[in-house]
Amino acid sequence: MNPISNHAASPTDTAVTDPFWSRYIELVQTTVIPYQYEAIHDRAPGAEPSGAVQNFRIAAGLAEGEFVGWVFQDSDLAKWLEAVGYSLQLRRDPDLERRADELIDLIGAAQQPDGYLNTYFTIKEPGKRWTNLTDCHELYCAGHMIEAAVAYYEATGKDKLLQIMKRMIVHIETVFGPEEGKLRGYDGHQEIELALVKLHNLTGEESYLKLAAFFINERGQEPNFLQAEWERRGRKGHFNPLPQSRLDLSYFQAHKPVRQQTEAVGHAVRAVYMYTAMADLARLTGDVELKDACRRLWHNVTRTQMYVTGGIGSTHHGEAFTFDYDLPNDTVYAETCASIGLIFFAQRMLLLEPNSEYADVMERALYNNVLGSMAQDGKHYFYVNPLEVWPQASTHNPGRHHVKSERQAWFGCACCPPNVARLLTSLNRYIYTQRGDTLYANLYIGSEAAVQLGEHAVTVKQRAELPWSGSVSFEIGSSHEVQFALALRLPGWCTEMTVSVNGEAVAFGREDLQNGYLLLRRLWQNGDIVKAHLKIETRLVYADPRVRADVHKAAVQRGPLVYCVESADNGENIAALRLGQSDLFNEYPAKNLPDGTIAVETEAFRSITNQVDDGKSAGELYRSAPPASQPVRLTAVPYYLWGNRGQGEMAVWLTTSGK
Amino acid sequence: MNPISNHAASPTDTAVTDPFWSRYIELVQTTVIPYQYEAIHDRAPGAEPSGAVQNFRIAAGLAEGEFVGWVFQDSDLAKWLEAVGYSLQLRRDPDLERRADELIDLIGAAQQPDGYLNTYFTIKEPGKRWTNLTDCHELYCAGHMIEAAVAYYEATGKDKLLQIMKRMIVHIETVFGPEEGKLRGYDGHQEIELALVKLHNLTGEESYLKLAAFFINERGQEPNFLQAEWERRGRKGHFNPLPQSRLDLSYFQAHKPVRQQTEAVGHAVRAVYMYTAMADLARLTGDVELKDACRRLWHNVTRTQMYVTGGIGSTHHGEAFTFDYDLPNDTVYAETCASIGLIFFAQRMLLLEPNSEYADVMERALYNNVLGSMAQDGKHYFYVNPLEVWPQASTHNPGRHHVKSERQAWFGCACCPPNVARLLTSLNRYIYTQRGDTLYANLYIGSEAAVQLGEHAVTVKQRAELPWSGSVSFEIGSSHEVQFALALRLPGWCTEMTVSVNGEAVAFGREDLQNGYLLLRRLWQNGDIVKAHLKIETRLVYADPRVRADVHKAAVQRGPLVYCVESADNGENIAALRLGQSDLFNEYPAKNLPDGTIAVETEAFRSITNQVDDGKSAGELYRSAPPASQPVRLTAVPYYLWGNRGQGEMAVWLTTSGK
């Protein structure tokens, strides 16, 4: 347990041993991290040169040339290093560590004498440091590098990158702050705030927390920093050099002070990264006002602006939130990175206060939106995770060009794949939260955790068969008897959970749950075994009818997995299917999908084009006779596996039969 | 009857005397034309200066200054003059005529010594004539001015504008043509082709037809003219001065020769203006291949890409067609001008061959998409005519910003209002088609037509009570007995039509119809009276299930009017309404809508947000219990009147109850 946090923490000394998840973590280690290494070295076949490493070489004076890539290209290297840090915690790998060390040396060489570190402004616009926080991601890149430094130090004990970033922060502190002559500013893309909290957690250094709080507290204050900066630049942006009529501050969540924000607006990734830091700060500083803001924003996101898959961001214009209950399935954005940020936010809310609602959302985003973004080969990704796909529309209707019907190879803006890599390699940190002498099991993922409970070191060996079956067990290991509570989460999707301790059933009702958890508080002995069985059944879920896009529709869900219907099983025109009155589903092994995958089927109807009408209107688009309907069996498969069997239509929401 | 056309024609000597339509025509005459006159003179309150007239003054050397407005700004003046021409045919107005004459004098003064007429290139880029046909609308503007010249001559007998435009055409013929040294080109925006046919019809001059055929036949041929021109310009466009990677030729319908085109693609207005000219040329030249292309494109548009309101263009990106059966109701474009162009195309298809299908579409577009675009005050318009509106989405979801929930005052690009004006003032031309000795009644609109049947002048006085009631009568006036056929269209929406001649019922069955018309062929006497009664009933219509957006839904239609459901009658969240099993509708006078309007109501259900769930999931967005449903009465009003009672939700398509 982290000695700094006096409230709650996520135990980091946990190893994932889960049959379902280990496969994906392994994929990241054996495929994604090596591929990403090639990509940042401009050696990925078929991909545009990334420039990420080469930029550092140029900035370090080791090579000549132009800056390549986005203004935030440095963050690609940072995210790779962070994922490597987590990966090395799971499994040491001297060769990988050597590569990381070499890159860290390069980063050190690229750092400027005053501590400044950013290859874009070092190479391309040396005189323009800190003049366009709105667009240019200087603090964002620093934030990712700080996260990498922390992860790498935790894995290896090597502090070179940590020292580099500490020097960078010293430099940042000479530029930003409330004092006369410094910028009362913040980055257009939040990220450094949560990173500074991580560094504070590691080091105990209060100044990092203070700087994070400064950035959070300044945001949206009047006079508006981003607005004033934009005016100073002649109303021009980095990405659009022509003067603009207006700067949309809500895109940056800088339209009002964070404590006054009640609705999630703007760029979804920026938003959830900020909320994550806000929840961190609310917990670590005991700031009740900030905690209230976190709760409000959490509720707004998860109760009015979140897809059933855990996706957020209803529009590709600005990759942004739109407004309450606006969740179009076809023009959706639901960026992978945004759901990953939502998982960060959920984890920090769990640390702020125990409530299974946070874990429910974390699980929803993880098993559906995030997992679905990666192909089974680890080399193809969705950035946009739609809930309804018509491949022809993706091609021929420009309003849906951003929706891809097949996962794409690594993109020019390589944000999502490295984010998936760092999330999956650190998945061990999301399983439990420890709060005093209570260990909350948030995710049922096979794992071995080592936790410190007061004086005693305890191991908790979890076995889980999710998502296919609901059998879970925990084995306690301890050299002494230890008094603590193991808190088992009753997932939102679960209607029935049975629990036994050492073979004796634990009787409980809903009224015995605390914040959605069953607390097993006792004097635990070495070898004690808790068994839980979560009933996993296939059932229909319904959206609040204020969600216009989903009203009169239902989605199929089985345990934590949202299902979808694909042309591969159901032929063309998925939209023409309509659920019957029955909500009974047959479950069976899916065809042409990974072993163990359960497909489900139920009765449905399909509207078909009338071949013969009244003679006159044959071939007409609109007719007075309702289309004929034929009974069919409808097959649904897990959403996270969609798009793996060639191009075809897909839908999560299916029209129901009414009264 | 036009002496030139040896096939068919639309009698122009017809006066509309219809209670329903006269009101709108009157509105155009008393409000739209005067308002538009102020607008083109930069005197419309609250509107951006149009520059249209001032540009001509500058080009004529009568004023100094910069060109103002779009590159095609001249067409605003042309469309005003065309509407004035039609209006003066309906009712002489010396004051209006004087204003028109003054503007025609100004146009004459702006014409260059070599016959060239275009204020943009005269004022702003004098050296750049005919260098950017792709974007710059020179021939398009000429086309509108030719249409104006023809209409004004037909109304007044004054040929000054006609002579101006004939000189312009002589100039155009020195620039364009198959001969060595001339451009084998055509305009990026089709329009002049149909205008040249009109001028040919008026004058009998074959060269105009030949020039129209040249433009049509060159289009899409290899080497591609627009592509080559774009390459010559360094791949730059007028509207986007940066070099582009690709010119989308399908936007201009120049991706392949017109005879090879099978699907409607690209900018919808350009497309239907072109199809109109193609149908004209197919008829006048007897070109069977072109006729086949017209039929194919007609079927593609009306059987796979047309909204139930007669709207076309499924995306605002390029105001364009997308692909078969892609008819999203919420992100729709369905521009007013495009439906007007579809009416032109339908009229020309009726001239090409009698078939009530063409008239059905004409009527559909007229009564719904086009009529709905104009507010009851004649001063506010929709450019985009959506079938589903959620005002908050129009404001907060950028993918729907183009969909307005209230009609807007005159726009910067004033294409639609003048187009509505010229259509309504020439509505008399769409009622009948004459083909030899058959007079086809395409639209049931009260009117007095004077037609020449062989040697004899005949008048046909039509009375009609549409759209509210289906009573129609025709009184024949003639000084002699005349043998001819009056062909009554059985509309697609009509299940029962009864007909009598001088009180004697005409017995007929569907098998007696010819191309959807009942032909009453006899020796007509002065005073003969035909009465028809078209059964008008409220009923549900269904889209072909391949239309993903409408499957499991129905629209309400009554006679030619498509209905819609609005918040004004049904409260918030229209999408939560679901039709019941009954298809019985009560009809009653609508509240707060123009006198005579019939509203309809039926039984339905409304999904409501569950207030209490299982305790845990209260407030959750997704739940295992289906939303509660309560019986309600659903009220629908004519679509063309939507948005007249404040901002609110609207939907044409309503979810049905299944089996």
Side-chain angles (χ1 to χ4, degrees), chain A residues 306 548 578 622 649 656, chain B residues 306 548 578 622 649 656:
Chain A
M306 180 184 72
R548 273 57 167 180
R578 183 172 198 149
Y622 304 104
E649 292 174 64
T656 59
Chain B
M306 180 184 72
R548 272 60 166 178
R578 182 173 200 148
Y622 304 104
E649 292 173 64
T656 58

Side-chain angles (χ1 to χ4, degrees), chain A residues 4-256:
Chain A
I4 308 303
S5 163
N6 50 12
H7 297 281
S10 297
T12 54
D13 191 3
T14 305
V16 173
T17 59
D18 189 89
F20 184 80
W21 286 105
S22 293
R23 183 191 169 286
Y24 291 99
I25 295 166
E26 183 79 13
L27 192 65
V28 169
Q29 292 182 308
T30 59
T31 300
V32 182
I33 289 176
Y35 181 80
Q36 198 176 342
Y37 183 77
E38 295 303 301
I40 59 178
H41 283 87
D42 307 340
R43 294 189 299 247
E48 291 283 300
S50 145
V53 170
Q54 182 67 4
N55 290 337
F56 276 93
R57 291 177 51 80
I58 297 167
L62 302 173
E64 298 208 330
E66 292 293 309
F67 179 88
V68 168
W70 296 91
V71 68
F72 48 81
Q73 206 71 359
D74 289 2
S75 64
D76 276 8
L77 175 50
K79 285 191 213 163
W80 183 80
L81 280 170
E82 186 186 351
V84 167
Y86 299 136
S87 179
L88 292 175
Q89 284 178 59
L90 303 181
R91 185 176 68 202
R92 296 304 288 255
D93 176 340
D95 191 52
L96 181 62
E97 196 168 324
R98 183 184 52 72
R99 292 175 181 207
D101 287 338
E102 283 171 9
L103 286 174
I104 289 168
D105 289 343
L106 178 61
I107 293 167
Q111 187 166 35
Q112 300 301 293
D114 61 357
Y116 183 81
L117 179 67
N118 182 292
T119 69
Y120 177 84
F121 284 99
T122 300
I123 299 171
K124 197 159 177 180
E125 300 202 71
K128 293 278 185 75
R129 285 183 190 179
W130 313 119
T131 58
N132 187 349
L133 272 294
T134 311
D135 296 331
C136 289
H137 293 68
E138 278 162 293
L139 294 173
Y140 167 90
C141 288
H144 273 301
M145 208 58 93
I146 292 167
E147 288 200 90
V150 171
Y152 198 71
Y153 173 78
E154 287 178 343
T156 62
K158 294 179 181 172
D159 72 347
K160 179 160 188 182
L161 188 55
L162 210 55
Q163 297 306 332
I164 291 168
M165 293 319 297
K166 284 182 176 179
R167 282 196 296 278
M168 172 63 165
I169 295 168
V170 169
H171 175 76
I172 290 169
E173 286 172 329
T174 67
V175 176
F176 292 88
E179 298 84 4
E180 191 66 30
K182 294 186 182 176
L183 293 174
R184 292 191 71 131
Y186 40 88
D187 204 83
H189 197 315
Q190 303 91 322
E191 154 62 29
I192 195 169
E193 299 85 354
L194 72 86
L196 286 166
V197 174
K198 282 189 175 181
L199 187 59
H200 161 79
N201 287 345
L202 178 72
T203 62
E205 175 60 63
E206 284 299 320
S207 68
Y208 301 141
L209 203 61
K210 197 174 149 207
L211 185 59
F214 169 78
F215 288 137
I216 288 292
N217 292 334
E218 284 299 319
R219 201 167 198 93
Q221 300 288 352
E222 290 294 335
N224 191 286
F225 172 76
L226 297 182
Q227 179 83 27
E229 193 199 62
W230 176 70
E231 302 281 0
R232 281 197 296 277
R233 283 197 313 274
R235 305 184 156 218
K236 291 174 190 168
H238 174 82
F239 298 102
N240 189 340
L242 299 175
Q244 247 104 90
S245 62
R246 166 172 178 270
L247 182 69
D248 178 9
L249 293 170
S250 65
Y251 173 80
F252 309 95
Q253 297 82 38
H255 56 303
K256 55 173 87 164

Side-chain angles (χ1 to χ4, degrees), chain B residues 591-625:
Chain B
K591 277 168 284 193
N592 305 320
L593 286 172
D595 283 351
T597 304
I598 292 174
V600 301
E601 62 162 31
T602 190
E603 65 173 62
F605 297 90
R606 172 182 278 287
S607 292
I608 52 174
T609 303
N610 302 11
Q611 290 308 314
V612 180
D613 204 334
D614 55 8
K616 180 165 190 303
S617 61
E620 283 191 13
L621 197 49
Y622 304 104
R623 303 162 184 208
S624 54

